[in-house]
Amino acid sequence: MWKPSFGALALVAAVSCPGAASGQGAVGTLTGVITDAAGSAVAGAFVQMRNAERRLNFMVIAQEQGKYSIDRLPAGKYVVQAIGGEHQSAPSSPVEMAAGKRSSIDLSLIVARAPALPPAWPGRSPGERGAEAEAALGGAGPRLAEGEGKAIIEAKCMTCHDAQRIVRSRGNEARWQQVLRTMTLYAQGSTLAKPLTGEEEKALLAYLATNYAPNPGSVARAKPDPFSRLPRTLLPPEARGYMVVEYELPNPRAEPHEVATDSEGNGWVSQRVGGRLGRLDHETLSYVEFEPPAGSSPIVRLNGIRRGNTGELWMVDGGPNRRWLSFDPKYERFTAYNLPPTRSGSASGNTMRVHPDNTVWLAAIGSNQVIRFDPATKQFTIYDVPVGVKNNKNATPYGMAIGGDGNIWVVENAFNQIARIDRTTGKFDEFPLSVKDPVARKLGADWDGNLWVGLHGAGQLLRVDYKTLQMTEFTPSSKDAGVYLAEPDLKNHFIWTTLHHVDKLARLDPATGIWAEYPLMFAETDVRRIDLDPTNPKRVWYSGVLSSRMGYIELLQ
């Protein structure tokens, strides 16, 4: 169904969860007891319920005497399984749940678990870093192969990309041809990129297909056992008071990098692949997708979703369309705003912030720029990151927050720095981070206006006093955790983060230094963004990029 919007059109209700519950009254309750092979009760085990038809997964923790209970299961059939210590149960036969009814199933931990999966980036071996992390650590990276295409890349491609991104990529001729066509579209919005001639494109395609074809004999790494990241020890009483609710997106390659929560408590994800906006209703657990208005290119790459001051959702279409979008959840309408040219032609970024003055900001990771938009005047202002310009290298501006001074703070990932941007003049002040090899990612501002940075490489949270620039480190219990972000709870004075390498969310109490860690359901969920629910202070939403999942954890105590 097509609806008019403020200068745009929207396609609504593309996908929905079949047979969705109509409300909290349309749910059933499941209870049971978890025991070991000897028949003794097991407290602290994980209990999961999976409904393939609805694409819904749930997890609770067995309490004292091995008892578990969940009263939020929409009607349907569920497979139930328990995991605890070094053993797990066999999957149950499907359990039929009916609205307003109670069912019960007991499980015994009699099956040996698969080996534990070491901490690592999803799909990579422990210690293996991506090109972005290598750049942030100062690595020179591999060199381009000799050949006719090398000079073309140096003249035409490296104004926007470093050699590492090219050298570390692999593909057949068809794949490289697709990349070249996409980059040609990006170049149309660049102030620096030089278009390829027909002969250059032909020579470059032959060079890439020859030198950067798939590795011969390479075998894709098998997916890990889904439970291989759940702790091998039973959870103690103080760690059992939470549950997980998760939805698997219909498009398994959607890459929902970012998640946001609207003013009614529903979760939203922007899809980098497929270009749709998805919503999971927190009450009915029904899912629906919205298609943005058509642009100049069929490639739509949504990212950076953020709730605005009046409840609207902001996101960037970082593909060749080069535009920003706002979405009104109440009327289900998009509004599109076209970007002016940028250095690289890329408008990509995964961190947006909405200032109290209603201006919207983006850390443009692909173009060494920070972009400001004023909805009142519909004017964009683009700021080059000074350290990147000085060194002729993309500083990869990443995380962003609004400090207690009202200015914009941004991570300069490739230079291990943080910058303060005067929101009026655009002047940058840049400061080095105090931690060795931090690989800084996302940041947030706390109740005092101080900045908190997720140090993915160092595995720490870093607090930066916005007045004195004093920096203080906080380290979670999990080793090599891959701390990705900082999401402050302004009401309860906690700092939430995702432990990306070990598939957990975590919460720090800065006043005491005490951490609480919350394991997620499956290995390699790949959570890089969380959002606190404005309607429920005990609920934290997340999205899984490579797993194409979204959901939330909810504290029960």
Side-chain angles (χ1 to χ4, degrees), residues 234-263:
L234 298 170
L235 294 189
E238 65 272 15
R240 300 173 190 163
Y242 79 104
M243 67 177 295
V244 181
V245 178
E246 187 175 88
Y247 178 77
E248 300 176 23
L249 271 61
N251 177 5
R253 299 186 59 194
E255 294 190 9
H257 196 291
E258 300 293 291
V259 66
T261 317
D262 66 24
S263 55

Side-chain angles (χ1 to χ4, degrees), residues 192-273:
L192 291 179
K194 303 171 184 177
L196 296 172
T197 66
E199 288 300 315
E200 287 175 331
E201 184 175 348
K202 183 179 178 180
L204 186 53
L205 178 60
Y207 170 84
L208 293 169
T210 299
N211 293 286
Y212 302 109
N215 290 320
S218 63
V219 179
R221 198 194 77 173
K223 287 187 177 182
D225 181 272
F227 306 140
S228 55
R229 281 266 169 77
L230 288 173
R232 317 300 283 197
T233 56
L234 298 170
L235 294 189
E238 65 272 15
R240 300 173 190 163
Y242 79 104
M243 67 177 295
V244 181
V245 178
E246 187 175 88
Y247 178 77
E248 300 176 23
L249 271 61
N251 177 5
R253 299 186 59 194
E255 294 190 9
H257 196 291
E258 300 293 291
V259 66
T261 317
D262 66 24
S263 55
E264 295 183 354
N266 302 311
W268 294 77
V269 288
S270 50
Q271 300 181 11
R272 294 201 302 191
V273 178

Side-chain angles (χ1 to χ4, degrees), residues 345-469:
S346 171
S348 65
N350 55 47
T351 303
M352 299 190 87
R353 291 289 182 182
V354 181
H355 196 277
D357 67 5
N358 291 325
T359 56
V360 187
W361 297 73
L362 172 75
I365 188 173
S367 62
N368 189 57
Q369 293 170 323
V370 173
I371 303 175
R372 173 187 182 271
F373 177 66
D374 186 344
T377 63
K378 298 182 175 55
Q379 294 296 311
F380 285 93
T381 307
I382 300 177
Y383 305 102
D384 292 327
V385 178
V387 68
V389 174
K390 179 180 178 181
N391 292 274
N392 194 30
K393 176 183 176 181
N394 186 357
T396 58
Y398 208 87
M400 179 186 293
I402 300 164
D405 52 7
N407 291 320
I408 311 302
W409 292 74
V410 64
V411 161
E412 297 174 340
N413 173 275
F415 289 91
N416 300 327
Q417 295 186 157
I418 188 172
R420 178 181 60 215
I421 309 170
D422 187 293
R423 70 182 181 91
T424 303
T425 66
K427 179 180 179 296
F428 277 67
D429 292 303
E430 298 169 312
F431 313 100
L433 296 174
S434 61
V435 179
K436 180 181 179 182
D437 299 339
V439 189
R441 297 283 186 176
K442 296 203 171 215
L443 73 158
D446 68 15
W447 42 94
D448 292 323
N450 296 319
L451 293 310
W452 289 79
V453 191
L455 304 182
H456 192 249
Q460 297 175 314
L461 281 175
L462 182 71
R463 181 174 61 198
V464 182
D465 188 300
Y466 79 94
K467 296 178 181 177
T468 66
L469 298 179

Side-chain angles (χ1 to χ4, degrees), residues 57-241:
N57 306 310
F58 300 80
M59 186 172 77
V60 295
I61 315 301
Q63 304 297 317
E64 293 304 314
Q65 300 177 341
K67 296 180 179 180
Y68 74 90
S69 177
I70 180 170
D71 59 1
R72 303 190 190 181
L73 300 180
K77 294 182 178 180
Y78 292 82
V79 173
V80 189
Q81 196 165 8
I83 307 96
E86 295 294 337
H87 292 84
Q88 63 192 46
S89 74
S92 74
S93 299
V95 179
E96 186 73 42
M97 298 300 300
K101 303 295 184 181
R102 296 177 65 89
S103 297
S104 180
I105 185 168
D106 300 333
L107 299 167
S108 181
L109 305 176
I110 59 174
V111 180
R113 292 177 61 184
L117 185 66
W121 185 286
R124 298 178 188 165
S125 302
E128 181 183 357
R129 303 180 188 274
E132 183 182 294
E134 291 291 351
L137 294 175
R143 295 183 178 182
L144 290 167
E146 295 299 326
E148 182 180 358
K150 179 181 178 183
I152 300 174
I153 289 175
E154 290 174 339
K156 298 290 183 75
C157 303
M158 290 182 63
T159 54
C160 302
H161 305 295
D162 57 27
Q164 289 190 55
R165 176 167 294 189
I166 300 169
V167 171
R168 294 180 184 276
S169 300
R170 294 281 173 173
N172 57 24
E173 183 174 337
R175 170 59 180 160
W176 280 116
Q177 188 172 53
Q178 180 185 23
V179 170
L180 290 178
R181 288 174 178 171
T182 301
M183 292 302 101
T184 298
L185 291 173
Y186 278 118
Q188 293 173 1
S190 171
T191 59
L192 291 179
K194 303 171 184 177
L196 296 172
T197 66
E199 288 300 315
E200 287 175 331
E201 184 175 348
K202 183 179 178 180
L204 186 53
L205 178 60
Y207 170 84
L208 293 169
T210 299
N211 293 286
Y212 302 109
N215 290 320
S218 63
V219 179
R221 198 194 77 173
K223 287 187 177 182
D225 181 272
F227 306 140
S228 55
R229 281 266 169 77
L230 288 173
R232 317 300 283 197
T233 56
L234 298 170
L235 294 189
E238 65 272 15
R240 300 173 190 163

Side-chain angles (χ1 to χ4, degrees), residues 24 114 220 339 467:
Q24 292 285 42
L339 272 164
K467 296 178 181 177

